[in-house]
Amino acid sequence: MFILLIAAIFISFIIGRYRIPVPQLLEILKGKLLGMPQTWPAAVETVIFKVRIPRICADLMVGAALATSGATYQGLFKNPMVSPDILGASAGAGFGAAIAILLSFNLVGVQLSSFVFGLGAVILTYMVGSIIGRSSNAILILVLTGMVVSTMFSSFTSITKYLADTDNKLPAITFWLMGGLSSVSTTDIKVLLVPFCLGIIPLFLLRWRLNVLSFGEEEAQALGIDTKTTRKIIIVCATLLTASAVSVSGMIGWIGLVIPHIARLLVGPNYKELLPASFLAGGIFLIIVDNVARSAFTIEIPLGILTSLIGAPFFMYLLIKGRRSWI
C-alpha cells in the first residue's frame, strides 16, 4: 500500500491540465534537492511547488484523516455503518463554513469557523449524551444524540442558504458544501498539520485499546481499561481529524465509511494493522479521485460528487459480495 501511495503521488505530479513530462519533473526535483542553477521554465516550477505539492499533501492528509476517523468510530461504536460525521462534526463544520461565507469572511475565517463549529457540534453531542445516557446503553444514546445534532446543524445550514444572496453567497456556500481542494495552499497545509498530528498520533498509540473496546463495555473494564477516559480521548482525536479535514476540503462523503471496510478486507479487523491500512488507503483513494476530478473533464468536478458516485456503488458491491462475513 505504501508503494501504491508513492506511485499515486508520482502520477499526480505529471497529470493535469498542465502536463509535466517525467524527465522535466525529475530534473526539477533533482535540481532543487542538490541546489543546482535553474534551467527550467519558472511556470513549471510554480505549478509543481505552489499547486501540485500542496494539493497532493492535502489529498493525502484529508483522505487519511477521514478514513482513520471512520475506522476509529466503527470500532468504538461497534457498528460497521458508522462514518466520521456520526457525532455531528461534518454537519457542524458545514454550518460554520456557511455562516462564515454569509458574513463575508475570508478563506482563513471560513476554515476557522468550520473547524470551531465542527468541534462544537461534537462537544454538544457528548454533553447531551452524557446527561441522558448514564446507563449501560451510553453508546447508543451517544449515536442517537449525534443524529439529532447533525440534523439540527443541517437545518441551520439550510436556513443560511435560504438567507444567502442568490448571486454570490449561495453559489459559494453550495460549492463549498460539495467539497474540493482546488484553492488549497501551503498555508492551509501548515494549518491542517497541527490538528492532524494531534489527532492521528494518539489514535495510533492507542489503537490496541480499540480492539479491547470492540469486545464491549464490561469485557473492556474486566481487562483493566478505563473505558470512559479512553472513549473521551478517542472521540476527541477522531473529531480533530474530521473537523480539520472538513474545514479545508468541505464536505467529502463516503471515504470514512467505505475505506475502512476495504482496509478490513485487506488486513483483517485487528486495529494494529487496520488503522495504518485505513490511513494509507484513504490517502491513496483521495489522491486518485482528485486526479480524476481535475483531469477528466474541462472543468473540475467537486470531490464530494465523485466520492459519492464511486463510494455508493462500491459499498453496495461489498454488501452483495461479502454479505455478513466481512462485517
Side-chain angles (χ1 to χ4, degrees):
M1 292 180 72
F2 184 76
I3 294 173
L4 286 175
L5 177 62
I6 298 300
I9 290 173
F10 184 77
I11 293 171
S12 300
F13 276 110
I14 301 169
I15 67 173
R17 293 192 193 94
Y18 194 105
R19 293 186 177 274
I20 301 174
V22 175
Q24 189 177 44
L25 172 64
L26 296 176
E27 178 191 359
I28 294 173
L29 295 177
K30 178 182 176 182
K32 283 294 182 179
L33 288 173
L34 300 179
M36 298 169 59
Q38 181 173 334
T39 58
W40 49 84
V44 180
E45 181 178 334
T46 301
V47 170
I48 292 175
F49 291 97
K50 297 291 182 67
V51 179
R52 298 274 165 90
I53 287 181
R55 187 152 183 172
I56 292 169
C57 291
D59 287 333
L60 173 59
M61 294 170 70
V62 170
L66 292 175
T68 303
S69 59
T72 300
Y73 280 133
Q74 287 173 9
L76 183 66
F77 295 113
K78 302 186 290 294
N79 189 334
M81 300 304 295
V82 166
S83 61
D85 56 356
I86 186 65
L87 299 183
S90 296
F95 171 68
I99 199 69
I101 295 172
L102 183 66
L103 298 175
S104 301
F105 287 11
N106 58 20
L107 182 59
V108 176
V110 172
Q111 292 175 350
L112 182 60
S113 176
S114 173
F115 180 72
V116 170
F117 274 91
L119 289 180
V122 176
I123 291 172
L124 177 61
T125 298
Y126 195 84
M127 289 176 60
V128 175
S130 298
I131 294 172
I132 300 173
R134 295 186 178 276
S135 59
S136 59
N137 60 349
I139 292 293
L140 177 60
I141 294 297
L142 197 61
V143 171
L144 294 176
T145 306
M147 294 173 60
V148 173
V149 171
S150 295
T151 303
M152 182 179 68
F153 276 102
S154 296
S155 300
F156 290 159
T157 302
S158 298
I159 294 173
T160 306
K161 291 169 68 176
Y162 181 77
L163 297 174
D165 175 23
T166 55
D167 294 327
N168 298 310
K169 302 293 179 62
L170 182 58
I173 293 172
T174 303
F175 185 77
W176 191 93
L177 291 174
M178 286 190 291
L181 292 166
S182 57
S183 60
V184 72
S185 65
T186 305
T187 303
D188 297 327
I189 301 303
K190 293 177 181 177
V191 173
L192 176 60
L193 189 61
V194 176
F196 179 82
C197 291
L198 290 176
I200 203 73
I201 292 174
L203 287 180
F204 270 64
L205 294 175
L206 294 173
R207 64 187 187 273
W208 65 272
R209 295 198 177 193
L210 281 167
N211 288 330
V212 181
L213 288 175
S214 64
F215 294 150
E217 189 84 9
E218 294 181 359
E219 290 81 355
Q221 290 177 353
L223 291 171
I225 299 296
D226 185 350
T227 56
K228 189 173 183 180
T229 302
T230 303
R231 191 184 301 122
K232 285 181 181 179
I233 295 173
I234 290 173
I235 288 175
V236 168
C237 293
T239 301
L240 278 174
L241 289 176
T242 304
S244 60
V246 174
S247 68
V248 171
S249 66
M251 309 285 276
I252 301 179
W254 288 95
I255 294 178
L257 178 60
V258 175
I259 297 301
H261 287 301
I262 296 175
R264 193 174 287 110
L265 286 172
L266 293 173
V267 301
N270 188 342
Y271 272 87
K272 287 187 176 182
E273 289 82 31
L274 178 59
L275 224 57
S278 298
F279 181 98
L280 292 171
I284 294 169
F285 177 75
L286 195 57
I287 288 174
I288 294 173
V289 171
D290 193 33
N291 288 339
V292 175
R294 61 187 175 86
S295 305
F297 301 96
T298 54
I299 59 172
E300 185 169 326
I301 305 173
L303 286 177
I305 296 176
L306 275 182
T307 55
S308 298
L309 288 174
I310 296 171
F314 189 78
F315 192 68
M316 184 64 69
Y317 166 77
L318 289 177
L319 286 172
I320 295 173
K321 185 175 183 295
R323 297 185 183 179
R324 297 184 61 87
S325 59
W326 57 274
I327 297 178

